[in-house]
């Protein structure tokens, strides 16, 4: 009788890294939606001039996307520097105290549930194959061949924020003035519901609370900026 094939689910650092990048992209797009929506709705509270709305929206989009990219570049560059420093330290320790490092690796593997004998044998084999890689992955949780790339992170953040920001920008400038505010609010809330649902799915959480939080935060942001714009417009500022 033919045995059914086992279903193999993907595991490992590669999957976790991809999920982290995807989650960051969703959150970056969410930031673009909320911040740009708040900006253009606030300006719409003061004026209905299409040129003014377009200028404000484009300025917010560029400023936000560049800020996100720069912040992500600095953050990931710092992380990469820390990873490289940790690898350099580990390489030096392997050269200076190989027996102590072997004992350390044995202890780490034993802590993962292996018996002392099996952990020792595994540590010896891993050390003979590639000692630095073994310690980097088991002790530090780093893949020496796949360090974080700050340029990739910056580009992904820039793109995600820009994509998110384009929705409220187009929604506020394309429709007629009589319906542009309604179109923008509805479009933004729909987009926030989608990003809230998707971020919850990525984190294996219940989507309902995430969607409500996302939509609620966006609604409050648009309401506050619109009232502020109305007051400034009425004051002739």
């Amino acid at each position: 009788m033919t045995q059914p094939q086992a279903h193999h689910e993907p595991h490992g650092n590669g999957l976790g890294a991809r999920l982290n990048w995807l989650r960051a992209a969703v959150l970056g797009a969410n930031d673009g939606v909320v911040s740009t929506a708040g900006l253009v709705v606030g300006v719409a509270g003061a004026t209905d001039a299409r040129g003014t709305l377009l200028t404000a929206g484009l300025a917010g989009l560029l400023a936000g996307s560049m800020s996100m990219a720069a912040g992500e570049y600095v953050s990931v560059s710092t992380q990469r520097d820390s990873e490289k420093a940790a690898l350099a330290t580990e390489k030096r320790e392997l050269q200076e105290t190989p027996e102590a490092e072997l004992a350390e690796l044995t202890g780490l593997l034993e802590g993962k549930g292996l018996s002392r004998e099996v952990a020792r044998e595994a540590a010896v084999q891993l050390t003979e194959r590639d000692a630095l890689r073994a310690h980097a992955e088991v002790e530090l949780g780093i893949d020496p061949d796949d360090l974080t790339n700050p340029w990739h992170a910056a580009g992904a953040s820039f793109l995600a924020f820009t994509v998110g920001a384009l929705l409220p920008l187009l929604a506020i400038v394309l429709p007629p003035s009589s319906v542009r505010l309604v179109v923008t609010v509805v479009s933004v809330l729909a987009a926030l519901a989608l990003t809230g649902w998707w971020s919850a799915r990525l984190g294996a959480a219940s989507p309902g609370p995430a969607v409500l939080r996302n939509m609620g935060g966006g609604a409050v942001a648009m309401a506050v900026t619109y009232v502020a714009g109305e007051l400034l417009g009425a004051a002739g500022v």
Side-chain angles (χ1 to χ4, degrees):
M1 182 176 179
T2 303
Q3 294 293 328
Q5 289 186 344
H7 176 67
H8 297 286
E9 294 188 12
H11 295 284
N13 293 335
L15 176 62
R18 287 193 295 272
L19 288 177
N20 285 335
W21 280 111
L22 187 54
R23 185 177 294 112
V26 171
L27 295 177
N30 191 81
D31 287 344
V33 171
V34 174
S35 61
T36 306
L39 175 62
V40 297
V41 167
V43 175
T47 178
D48 62 355
R50 192 186 304 270
T52 302
L53 292 170
L54 178 60
T55 300
L58 282 175
L61 184 154
L62 291 172
S65 58
M66 293 301 296
S67 175
M68 287 283 291
E72 196 70 13
Y73 178 82
V74 170
S75 174
V76 175
S77 292
T78 301
Q79 179 184 343
R80 184 183 178 89
D81 290 343
S82 298
E83 290 173 344
K84 292 172 71 174
L87 289 172
T89 298
E90 199 63 41
K91 185 175 182 180
R92 185 179 67 252
E93 290 175 348
L94 284 167
Q95 292 173 343
E96 296 175 353
T97 56
E99 288 301 321
E101 289 300 300
L102 179 61
E104 181 183 35
L105 183 58
T106 300
L108 290 169
L109 293 173
E110 190 177 1
K112 292 181 179 293
L114 299 180
S115 67
R116 181 70 180 176
E117 293 75 15
V118 173
R120 175 74 179 185
E121 178 61 25
V124 169
Q125 291 189 24
L126 289 171
T127 299
E128 290 175 348
R129 182 177 303 171
D130 190 333
L132 180 59
R133 174 177 292 278
H135 281 266
E137 294 181 347
V138 176
E139 181 181 348
L140 305 175
I142 297 174
D143 183 349
D145 296 329
D146 190 26
L147 299 182
T148 52
N149 189 313
W151 288 108
H152 290 170
S157 295
F158 180 91
L159 182 60
F161 187 96
T162 299
V163 169
L166 280 174
L167 174 69
L169 175 59
L170 295 176
I172 202 73
V173 299
L174 292 182
S177 59
S178 58
V179 297
R180 65 169 51 130
L181 191 59
V182 173
V183 170
T184 301
V185 171
V186 171
S187 300
V188 166
L189 292 180
L192 292 177
L194 179 61
T195 56
W197 177 86
W198 188 238
S199 62
R201 292 285 295 175
L202 290 174
S206 174
V211 168
L212 291 177
R213 284 195 302 267
N214 226 25
M215 294 178 67
V220 169
M222 288 187 288
V224 170
T225 56
Y226 181 77
V227 170
E230 281 272 353
L231 294 175
L232 290 173
V237 177

